Amino acid sequence: MEIESKYDPSRVEGKWYEYWMRNRFFHSEPDGREPFTVVIPPPNVTGVLHMGHMLNNTIQDILVRRARMMGKNACWVPGTDHASIATEAKVVALLSSEGIRKADLSRDEFLKHAWEWTHKHGGIILEQLKKLGASCDWERTCFTMDEKRSESVIKVFVDLYNKGLIYRGVRMVNWDPAARTALSDEEVLYREQQSKLYYLRYKIAGEDGYALVATTRPETIFGDTAVCINPNDPKNARLKGKRVIVPLAGREVPIIEDDYVDIDFGTGCLKVTPAHDVNDYMLGEKYNLEAIDIFNDDGTLNANGMQYAGMERFEVREKIETDLEAAGLLEKTETYVNKVGFSERTHVPIEPKLSMQWFLRMDGLAKPALDAVENDEIRFYPSKFKNMYRRWMENIKDWCISRQLWWGHRIPAYYLPRGGGYVVADTPDEALQLARVKSGDYALQLADLRQDEDVLDTWFSSWLWPVSVFDGINDPDNKDIAYYYPTNDLITAPEIIFFWVARMIVAGFEYRRLPCFYNVYFTGIVRDKLGRKMSKSLGNSPDPISLMDKYGADGVRMGMLLSSPAGNDLPFDETLCEQGRNFNNKIWNAFRLVKGWEVAPGETPVPASAAIAIRWFGAQLNRVVGKINDSFVKYRISEALMDVYKLFWDDFSSWYLEIIKPGYQQPVDRKSLEATLDFFDSLLRLLHPFMPFITEELWQALADRKPGESIMITDLPAYRAETPEDAKTLNEFDGAREIIADIRSIRLQKNIAFREILVLQAPADHDPACDAVIMKMANLSAVERVAEKATGSVSFLVGTREYAVPLLAKINVEEEIAKTEAEIKYTEGFLEAVMKKLGNEKFIANAKPEVVAAERKKQSDGLAKLKTLCENLAQLKK
C-alpha cells in the first residue's frame, strides 16, 4: 500500500468500517470459544450522539475489541429505547407544529404518527456510533418496542401479577403536569429553590384568635382537611380539641395531634393536605381524613379550587398571596430555601398527587440483587458505588410502573363490564377466556372488555434488556441465552444506578437465577473547563460529529479517555482531541520513517547499539503488556491507554527508533528492520482497541495482506513472565538513558551543538553494557574509565556514580565559574532551609514518617549536588 505523506482520517475511517462490515467481523454466533458479551445501554430513539455517549461507547468498544483479540467470541448487542415520555413529547410537539392536537386524535391515530416519527429518527444515533468505530453486532440490533421485546415485557407483567407482586391501587405518586403522567421516585430530581414561607391565619371556629400555619404552597389550602400540632408543644396547647377554618375556603377542619410535627419548625402548626403531600397522606390514613384532590392532570386547579378553578398552579400562588393579604389572613412571608422535586424528563416541578396506579412490590425481589453486589458476585468499578447501591436497595420502595401515556407497552389488564373487576393476560383472546370464567358469563365478547389505558414505565422494558435481547423471556432455553448470558461488562453512568442497573440485576435473578453481568464500570460525567455538566441548554457541549470530522474518530476517542478514570468526572477540553490527533500523526510519521528505510544488501551485521536497543525494547514491550493487562483487570482503562501511549511516543519513537535509525542516506541492516517491523506490528495490535482506524490502515500496509485479513481478528501481544535477564536489561538501559539525558543537559546549558563530538569520563565501576547506545545517542567518541576527572570537565551523578565531560576547550571558563558559583550559593541556601526543618524537634515529632524521609532525601541529594558543584568549580579554577 502507498502511504500518503499526511494522515487523513476522512480517507481512512469510512473505508475500513465498510470493510469490517462487509466481512462481518462484528457478528457473533455461539461456538466453542469463551463468550464475551456486552449489551449497549440503549439510547433513546429521540437522541443524537452527545459527549456522554461518546465516552460510554468508546469504553465499550475498547473492551469488546480487546476481547476479540484475546480469542473470545465477542458479542456487543446494540439497540434503542422507546423512551415513552421523551418520544411522546416530541411527537406531540411535531403534531402541534402542524396544527394537530393530541386530544383530537384517537389512540391508534396518535400511535401511527409516533411509529412514523420513530422509523424516521430512531436510527440516527446508531448510525452516528458507526462513525465512532463502534464494533456492535448490528445484525442483532434490538428496540425495546420491537415484537420480541414487547412480548417479553407483557409476559413478565403477567407473570409478576400472577405471583402477586404487581397490584393496582390509589397511592400518592409523583405527578408530572407537563407529561401528564405519574413518575417513579427515581425520576424525580431535587433542586434547591429560592421560595417563600407564607404564614397563614386559620381562624378558630366559634371564638376569637387563630392558629398560625407556615406553608410554602398556599395554593393547596383548598385540599386541607386538618391542622396538626404536636401534643407536647406548649405554645399550641390552646388549640387542642378545637376546629379551625381554612382561609378563603371557609371550611372547618379539626385540630389533630401527632408526634410527627416538629415543634421547632415554623409555628408548630402543620396544614394537612392528604391528596397532595406524601407525609400528609400518611397522616390522613392514620386519622381517617378526607383526601381532596384540587389539581387537574395539567397542573391547573379543578372545581375544588373554587374561584381559582382553571388557573395554573403557580399563577394561583401569586394571586392567592394578594387575596389572603386583602382578607387579613396572611400574617407575613419570609424568603426560604427548600428542595423542590422536578421531573427528570420535562424539568417541571412535580406535584404529589393521589392517583390510581399499578405498582410492583420490590422488597422480596431486591434481596438476591443486594446480596450479589455485597458479596462481589457482581463487581462495581469504582467500588464506592456499592454504598449508594446498598442504601437504596435496603430502603427500596414499591415501583410505580404505570404511566398515563399512549406511546409504550400498554398494560395487559382488561376491565369487565358493569364493575366486574379486571383480568390480566398475555393476549386479548386469553383475557376474554379469563373474563368469561371470572364473570360466569360465557356470552361475553372481546368488545365487552376495556383494556387499561396506561402504558408501562419505559424502565419496565429496559430492566429486562440483558435477557430480552437474547429472547430469554419468550424462549428461556434458546441457544443464544444459554451461550451469551450472563453478560460480562456493563458500562453506564452512575445517575441511572437505580433506574436501570439495580432493576436489571433484580430481573436477572428473577428470570435467570443468575447475575445479568459480572462487572459494572461507572463512567464519570463529562464537564466543561468550568466544571459545568455539558448540556444543550448551557450550549457548552461540542457536537461529537464535528469533533470527529476535525480530529478523526481515533483522535476524539483518545481525547475522551486521556483524563477519564472510572467514576470520576471528565473535565473535557478540545485540546485533548488535538493531543489525540497529534498522536495519530506521530504513529503515522513513525511508520513512514521505518517504511522509508533502504535495506543493506546481504547479511550486514547488526550494529552494537541496535542489538542493545532490540533486546531492551523487547523487554520493555513485554513489561508494558503486563501493566496493560493488569490495568484492564482493574478496569483502569485510561491508565492502560497512557501506558501504551508512553510506550509508543517515548520508548519506541524517542528512544528505540533514534537508536536503530541509520545515518543520513545510509541503509539499515535487514535484522534490525525486521525486528522494528515486528515491534511496530505489536504496538499497532496493542493500540487497536483504542484507535481502531489508523491501526487497521497501517497494519494493512505493514506487510502483504490477503483479502479478509484484519488487525481486529489478530491476537494481542502475549505477556511472558519477566526473567532476571529482562530486569537486568531494563535497569542497564535506564541507567544509560539517565547518562544520555545528563549529557544532553550539559550540551544545552553550555550551548554545545550535537554535531560536536564529546568524550565521557566514567568511574571504574561503570557498567559498559550500553556504551554503544550512549555513544550514539550522546555523540561521543569514547567512554573512558578514569580515576580522576580532567581539568575543566563538568560532572554529574547517576545514582552514586560520578561521570564527567571534559569541556575546557569548548567553554568560556570565566562565565562557567560565575554560573557554578551562583548555583553553589543557591544550593547552600536550599540546604540551609532543609537543615533548619530537620533541626526542628517539633517537625520531627509531628510530621508523617514519609514527610521526614522526603526531607532527609532532599538533604542527601543536596549535599551530593553541592559536592559535585564544588569539584566542578575547583576543576575550572585549575
Side-chain angles (χ1 to χ4, degrees):
M1 280 176 62
E2 187 73 26
I3 293 295
E4 295 183 7
S5 60
K6 287 186 178 178
Y7 178 54
D8 180 4
S10 65
R11 193 190 62 79
V12 166
E13 293 171 358
K15 173 182 72 175
W16 291 119
Y17 201 88
E18 192 275 331
Y19 176 79
W20 297 330
M21 291 282 284
R22 189 171 67 248
N23 285 280
R24 301 180 77 210
F25 291 138
F26 305 157
H27 183 58
S28 172
E29 290 289 343
D31 60 24
R33 291 174 293 166
E34 177 188 346
F36 180 85
T37 316
V38 173
V39 293
I40 200 170
N44 291 351
V45 287
T46 58
V48 292
L49 205 61
H50 59 59
M51 298 306 286
H53 292 134
M54 292 283 284
L55 174 62
N56 185 300
N57 287 282
T58 295
I59 293 169
Q60 289 180 81
D61 193 48
I62 288 166
L63 294 172
V64 169
R65 286 180 182 273
R66 180 175 166 81
R68 216 177 263 124
M69 296 177 76
M70 292 170 73
K72 297 177 184 179
N73 188 353
C75 179
W76 183 12
V77 182
T80 49
D81 191 294
H82 65 279
S84 291
I85 296 175
T87 304
E88 185 147 326
K90 290 268 187 186
V91 176
V92 167
L94 176 66
L95 292 172
S96 178
S97 71
E98 297 170 0
I100 304 169
R101 294 192 319 141
K102 179 188 173 186
D104 295 334
L105 298 175
S106 69
R107 187 184 193 115
D108 286 343
E109 287 169 338
F110 178 82
L111 288 177
K112 184 182 176 187
H113 286 289
W115 276 111
E116 283 175 2
W117 190 93
T118 299
H119 292 317
K120 184 177 179 181
H121 298 279
I124 291 173
I125 193 165
L126 298 184
E127 290 304 310
Q128 291 175 325
L129 285 176
K130 292 176 182 178
K131 187 171 176 63
L132 180 66
S135 59
C136 301
D137 186 346
W138 299 109
E139 295 173 47
R140 292 182 176 273
T141 302
C142 297
F143 175 47
T144 52
M145 273 181 66
D146 65 25
E147 189 176 346
K148 285 184 178 179
R149 263 46 64 184
S150 295
E151 284 177 20
S152 302
V153 169
I154 300 306
K155 194 179 285 287
V156 164
F157 183 95
V158 173
D159 176 64
L160 293 172
Y161 175 79
N162 290 334
K163 288 173 178 173
L165 295 173
I166 286 179
Y167 64 93
R168 183 172 181 259
V170 175
R171 297 288 186 276
M172 181 67 66
V173 297
N174 306 298
W175 188 262
D176 181 337
R180 302 191 190 187
T181 182
L183 304 175
S184 67
D185 289 347
E186 291 70 44
E187 291 169 295
V188 179
L189 306 175
Y190 288 88
R191 302 177 196 153
E192 280 198 349
Q193 297 289 298
Q194 191 77 29
S195 303
K196 275 186 183 178
L197 203 53
Y198 301 81
Y199 288 80
L200 311 184
R201 293 171 178 161
Y202 286 61
K203 290 185 176 177
I204 301 170
E207 62 178 82
D208 291 337
Y210 53 84
L212 192 61
V213 177
T215 180
T216 57
R217 303 175 70 212
E219 68 277 11
T220 62
I221 58 175
F222 301 105
D224 291 358
T225 52
V227 169
C228 189
I229 61 172
N230 190 306
N232 304 310
D233 182 3
K235 69 179 179 291
N236 285 313
R238 64 189 176 84
L239 297 173
K240 289 183 179 184
K242 296 185 178 176
R243 296 174 71 81
V244 293
I245 300 167
V246 178
L248 300 182
R251 274 186 299 104
E252 283 189 19
V253 296
I255 296 286
I256 61 173
E257 302 171 41
D258 196 282
D259 291 338
Y260 166 74
V261 177
D262 183 352
I263 294 172
D264 298 320
F265 178 76
T267 63
C269 290
L270 177 77
K271 65 190 281 298
V272 182
T273 318
H276 298 294
D277 183 275
V278 174
N279 298 312
D280 292 6
Y281 174 68
M282 291 189 288
L283 284 172
E285 292 275 284
K286 187 174 179 180
Y287 294 99
N288 198 28
L289 300 173
E290 182 186 3
I292 302 172
D293 186 350
I294 68 163
F295 287 116
N296 295 313
D297 288 350
D298 62 357
T300 58
L301 271 66
N302 61 25
N304 290 325
M306 300 175 63
Q307 66 267 38
Y308 303 98
M311 289 179 65
E312 198 275 329
R313 55 188 169 149
F314 295 115
E315 288 177 17
V316 175
R317 186 176 295 180
E318 285 185 25
K319 179 77 166 61
I320 210 169
E321 180 180 357
T322 306
D323 295 348
L324 285 164
E325 193 162 19
L329 297 172
L330 177 65
E331 182 148 313
K332 63 176 179 176
T333 62
E334 292 176 349
T335 55
Y336 181 67
V337 176
N338 63 335
K339 285 197 171 179
V340 176
F342 284 77
S343 166
E344 186 246 356
R345 287 291 177 200
T346 62
H347 310 293
V348 301
I350 60 102
E351 278 297 339
K353 180 177 165 71
L354 278 178
S355 180
M356 178 68 79
Q357 301 289 340
W358 292 87
F359 295 87
L360 173 60
R361 299 183 205 279
M362 293 296 291
D363 49 358
L365 291 170
K367 189 175 185 318
L370 174 58
D371 292 344
V373 174
E374 287 290 278
N375 64 27
D376 286 337
E377 186 178 7
I378 296 172
R379 292 181 180 272
F380 284 179
Y381 297 90
S383 59
K384 67 182 181 183
F385 289 109
K386 276 177 74 171
N387 294 330
M388 183 194 295
Y389 178 85
R390 183 191 308 114
R391 282 195 300 273
W392 188 74
M393 294 295 275
E394 287 177 345
N395 298 285
I396 200 163
K397 295 177 184 175
D398 289 356
W399 177 9
C400 177
I401 56 174
S402 47
R403 298 291 180 270
Q404 289 63 56
L405 302 165
W406 282 351
W407 176 247
H409 300 100
R410 194 169 178 181
I411 289 175
Y414 300 81
Y415 297 93
L416 280 64
R418 297 178 295 280
Y422 61 87
V423 293
V424 170
D426 285 314
T427 66
D429 288 340
E430 288 177 30
L432 180 60
Q433 297 307 314
L434 291 173
R436 285 172 174 173
V437 171
K438 181 168 185 166
S439 65
D441 181 359
Y442 287 87
L444 272 181
Q445 298 300 311
L446 202 54
D448 298 322
L449 303 184
R450 177 179 60 83
Q451 188 175 353
D452 197 299
E453 293 290 324
D454 291 352
V455 298
L456 287 160
D457 179 7
T458 298
W459 298 103
F460 196 85
S461 53
S462 50
W463 80 318
L464 304 174
W465 191 245
V467 181
S468 67
V469 295
F470 299 113
D471 205 21
I473 300 293
N474 301 317
D475 185 3
D477 299 317
N478 78 75
K479 65 175 184 176
D480 278 1
I481 193 75
Y483 180 75
Y484 292 114
Y485 188 96
T487 69
N488 293 76
D489 297 339
L490 176 74
I491 314 301
T492 189
E495 56 258 39
I496 56 172
I497 189 170
F498 309 131
F499 286 130
W500 193 45
V501 179
R503 289 170 179 164
M504 278 193 292
I505 297 172
V506 167
F509 281 104
E510 181 65 14
Y511 287 101
R512 298 300 298 177
R513 300 289 182 262
L514 286 167
C516 48
F517 32 68
Y518 291 115
N519 305 291
V520 183
Y521 178 103
F522 291 105
T523 62
I525 295 169
V526 184
R527 299 188 180 277
D528 66 14
K529 287 187 283 188
L530 301 176
R532 301 173 303 174
K533 183 177 178 179
M534 286 189 169
S535 68
K536 280 188 287 188
S537 58
L538 285 175
N540 63 343
S541 181
D543 171 34
I545 301 299
S546 299
L547 284 177
M548 288 189 280
D549 287 341
K550 185 174 181 182
Y551 298 106
D554 288 337
V556 177
R557 285 167 67 114
M558 186 173 174
M560 294 294 294
L561 280 170
L562 279 172
S563 61
S564 179
N568 290 338
D569 290 351
L570 165 64
F572 181 78
D573 187 334
E574 201 170 313
T575 56
L576 294 169
C577 296
E578 192 175 346
Q579 190 176 343
R581 181 180 62 189
N582 292 345
F583 187 45
N584 275 284
N585 292 335
K586 184 77 171 178
I587 298 167
W588 188 264
N589 291 335
F591 186 84
R592 290 185 68 246
L593 172 73
V594 172
K595 292 296 276 186
W597 291 341
E598 285 188 25
V599 185
E603 288 298 314
T604 308
V606 178
S609 58
I612 295 165
I614 291 166
R615 189 170 65 251
W616 161 72
F617 191 76
Q620 179 71 354
L621 173 66
N622 184 62
R623 177 176 283 184
V624 174
V625 167
K627 283 182 70 179
I628 291 169
N629 291 349
D630 183 62
S631 291
F632 271 100
V633 167
K634 295 169 181 171
Y635 289 83
R636 294 177 176 167
I637 297 168
S638 292
E639 290 181 25
L641 171 61
M642 190 51 67
D643 282 333
V644 70
Y645 173 85
K646 288 177 181 173
L647 178 68
F648 192 97
W649 193 295
D650 297 339
D651 296 330
F652 185 70
S653 296
S654 299
W655 286 96
Y656 176 82
L657 289 183
E658 290 300 315
I659 297 168
I660 293 288
K661 186 169 67 177
Y664 181 63
Q665 292 190 336
Q666 296 296 309
V668 66
D669 68 279
R670 186 171 299 280
K671 285 186 178 176
S672 293
L673 180 61
E674 286 172 356
T676 303
L677 292 174
D678 283 346
F679 288 146
F680 219 119
D681 180 83
S682 295
L683 289 165
L684 290 174
R685 284 182 285 133
L686 277 179
L687 282 163
H688 178 74
F690 302 100
M691 308 172 79
F693 292 110
I694 190 171
T695 51
E696 183 74 79
E697 174 78 0
L698 295 180
W699 185 84
Q700 294 284 348
L702 193 64
D704 291 333
R705 307 293 182 195
K706 297 172 187 170
E709 285 190 296
S710 171
I711 190 172
M712 68 180 289
I713 52 173
T714 61
D715 293 334
L716 282 170
Y719 174 74
R720 55 172 177 74
E722 190 174 287
T723 65
E725 187 62 34
D726 290 333
K728 182 172 181 289
T729 296
L730 292 168
N731 287 335
E732 287 169 350
F733 197 87
D734 284 346
R737 275 206 282 203
E738 202 171 335
I739 291 168
I740 294 162
D742 282 329
I743 296 170
R744 287 174 174 173
S745 293
I746 289 169
R747 285 184 182 275
L748 193 64
Q749 290 165 10
K750 312 303 180 189
N751 202 22
I752 300 169
F754 182 76
R755 65 176 178 273
E756 292 198 44
I757 299 171
L758 302 176
V759 171
L760 177 67
Q761 294 183 336
D765 60 348
H766 165 72
D767 186 344
C770 293
D771 278 4
V773 169
I774 295 169
M775 289 175 67
K776 177 170 183 176
M777 296 296 281
N779 194 18
L780 305 177
S781 59
V783 178
E784 301 171 346
R785 278 159 192 72
V786 296
E788 190 176 329
K789 294 179 292 183
T791 301
S793 62
V794 175
S795 59
F796 58 89
L797 288 172
V798 174
T800 55
R801 294 189 182 97
E802 186 176 17
Y803 292 83
V805 179
L807 294 177
L808 196 59
K810 301 179 185 291
I811 59 172
N812 182 316
V813 175
E814 286 182 9
E815 280 183 11
E816 287 305 314
I817 288 172
K819 276 187 196 173
T820 307
E821 284 176 340
E823 201 169 347
I824 287 170
K825 189 175 181 181
Y826 170 81
T827 305
E828 285 173 339
F830 171 79
L831 275 168
E832 189 179 337
V834 173
M835 297 291 285
K836 191 174 180 182
K837 197 179 276 191
L838 290 171
N840 185 331
E841 290 180 12
K842 253 186 194 174
F843 170 76
I844 299 295
N846 298 325
K848 290 181 180 178
E850 58 267 30
V851 174
V852 176
E855 291 300 317
R856 293 199 192 284
K857 186 168 189 316
K858 285 181 190 175
Q859 179 189 15
S860 61
D861 290 350
L863 287 168
K865 183 179 179 182
L866 185 62
K867 179 174 179 287
T868 300
L869 287 168
C870 290
E871 288 174 357
N872 286 345
L873 184 63
Q875 288 286 342
L876 289 166
K877 287 183 174 179
K878 276 187 180 180

